[in-house]
Amino acid sequence: MKKRGIGLGCAWYGTGYGNGFPDVSSAFVEIHDDGSATVLTGAVDVGQGSNSIYAQIVAEELGLQAQDICVYSADTDATPDSGTTAATRQTYNTGNAVLKAVRQAKVRLLDYAAHKFSCPTSEGIELKEGFIGVKGDPTRRMFLADMVFQARINGERFISAESSTARSTPVDPETGQGAPYWPYSFGCQSAEVEVDTETGIVRVLKVVAVHDVGKALNPTQVEGQIAGGVVQGIGFALLEELELQEGRIKNPAFSSYLIPTALDVPNIEAFFVEEAECTGPFGAKGLGEPAMLPTVAAVINAIDDAVGVRITSLPATPEKILQALAEMKQGRDTEN
């Protein structure tokens, strides 16, 4: 018999290395005389889309399009260290380093432009849609590329290097006081499952996921990262199990260490709540791990709702579910 159930899971997660560990990211930025810009950073884009985020940050600050920005990342010979792509930290940490770097280069550019336009202060200069000029006076503007070219032949370069350090403090073991992480991410998910009481196989039918992401710099990427986290969470809940024997991994291949395939992916509805994080780049914060954590609890709770058994160790394999069902039946028979 197949039975259906619905479960809820919630999570909060401190991003970054945390507990006072040095959490530093660095970036170089150069504005070129063809109206483009280059970003160099050691942050590794492993598919989560961090290079796109850095391009968007620089483009937003310089009034350009993202395709005008070239991001070079993860070249240990040429790019500055930005720490690991882990702990949900690259959008927040390296994003802040990139933002600081582009703003540093921009300050020099605006000062140069103010002099060229005979403007008493750089406060009166704006960058917009590929142009640089005097605010409120469309007759006094020029292409950004032309301005940077003129600066170049006069010996000016708009190059910057910056770092950003996430602030956290160790927790006092005596008092429990401290600020071990910042910022925090929050999320809530519901899962609907179908449990086959004959085989113990669980099929996840639908997941609805809602996450706090700060300001979503790229909403499409946010939805994709939530969906990816849900799929990883399903694997954590139902499939992934590292088998060890005397310190050796017994299942080192994907034929024996199971992860979800496309056929295991349910209907996923992803939503996000935008409340800008004041310390993040344009209000953004990380979403990596937080997207998969509530899935596990939601799936396990949905199994309980469907067949009335509580699985207390992961993954919830068919064998564990059949054993739990048998124990539940035995308990009922004993009571009767």
Side-chain angles (χ1 to χ4, degrees):
M1 180 182 295
K2 293 181 179 179
K3 295 186 176 181
R4 293 190 176 188
I6 296 175
L8 186 70
C10 300
W12 60 278
Y13 183 89
T15 64
Y17 295 147
N19 209 35
F21 188 87
D23 197 346
V24 186
S25 288
S26 303
F28 302 154
V29 169
E30 180 173 6
I31 305 170
H32 300 291
D33 58 9
D34 62 355
S36 69
T38 298
V39 180
L40 280 78
T41 176
V44 180
D45 189 333
V46 293
Q48 81 278 29
S50 56
N51 282 357
S52 297
I53 294 298
Y54 307 146
Q56 287 184 254
I57 289 172
V58 173
E60 179 70 18
E61 197 65 19
L62 296 180
L64 299 173
Q65 300 294 316
Q67 56 264 33
D68 297 323
I69 314 302
C70 187
V71 178
Y72 293 98
S73 61
D75 183 336
T76 53
D77 283 337
T79 58
D81 185 12
S82 286
T84 57
T85 296
T88 310
R89 59 182 294 281
Q90 291 296 15
T91 291
Y92 179 82
N93 284 49
T94 303
N96 270 329
V98 170
L99 182 58
K100 290 175 66 177
V102 69
R103 283 180 172 170
Q104 183 189 96
K106 180 182 173 182
V107 165
R108 294 174 56 196
L109 171 63
L110 294 182
D111 287 342
Y112 184 86
H115 175 73
K116 294 294 291 183
F117 286 118
S118 300
C119 194
T121 170
S122 62
E123 294 291 324
I125 304 298
E126 66 177 357
L127 288 158
K128 189 176 182 181
E129 298 175 347
F131 288 89
I132 184 167
V134 179
K135 291 178 181 175
D137 186 353
T139 66
R140 298 171 67 194
R141 70 173 190 172
M142 62 192 301
F143 285 113
L144 172 64
D146 292 340
M147 176 65 76
V148 178
F149 177 75
Q150 288 187 16
R152 183 179 182 81
I153 61 177
N154 286 309
E156 289 285 344
R157 299 288 188 276
F158 305 115
I159 304 172
S160 60
E162 272 287 3
S163 293
S164 179
T165 303
R167 301 300 176 187
S168 65
T169 60
V171 172
D172 188 315
E174 298 296 329
T175 66
Q177 297 298 303
Y181 293 97
W182 194 264
Y184 289 84
S185 288
F186 306 86
C188 183
Q189 297 180 11
S190 69
E192 181 179 5
V193 306
E194 184 178 77
V195 182
D196 188 325
T197 58
E198 299 295 326
T199 65
I201 292 176
V202 177
R203 192 160 67 97
V204 182
L205 304 174
K206 181 180 180 180
V207 173
V208 178
V210 183
H211 286 268
D212 156 45
V213 299
K215 177 65 178 177
L217 301 186
N218 188 319
T220 300
Q221 283 191 188
V222 169
E223 292 181 14
Q225 199 158 28
I226 291 174
V230 167
V231 175
Q232 195 168 354
I234 291 172
F236 190 20
L238 301 177
L239 297 171
E240 295 191 47
E241 185 170 26
L242 190 67
E243 299 176 13
L244 298 170
Q245 184 177 38
E246 297 180 349
R248 295 179 181 274
I249 297 174
K250 294 173 59 180
N251 54 342
F254 286 130
S255 59
S256 52
Y257 184 91
L258 303 181
I259 61 174
T261 69
L263 297 177
D264 299 307
V265 177
N267 176 30
I268 299 172
E269 295 184 10
F271 302 93
F272 49 89
V273 177
E274 290 188 284
E275 180 156 351
E277 164 55 44
C278 64
T279 64
F282 295 112
K285 56 184 179 182
L287 178 63
E289 283 98 335
M292 70 177 182
L293 298 179
T295 314
V296 180
V299 169
I300 298 301
N301 286 334
I303 294 171
D304 192 340
D305 185 52
V307 295
V309 297
R310 170 59 63 179
I311 303 301
T312 57
S313 66
L314 299 176
T317 60
E319 293 80 5
K320 290 179 183 176
I321 291 173
L322 289 177
Q323 182 179 350
L325 288 171
E327 291 173 352
M328 182 172 68
K329 181 177 183 303
Q330 186 178 20
R332 288 175 178 172
D333 291 343
T334 302
E335 291 177 1
N336 294 333

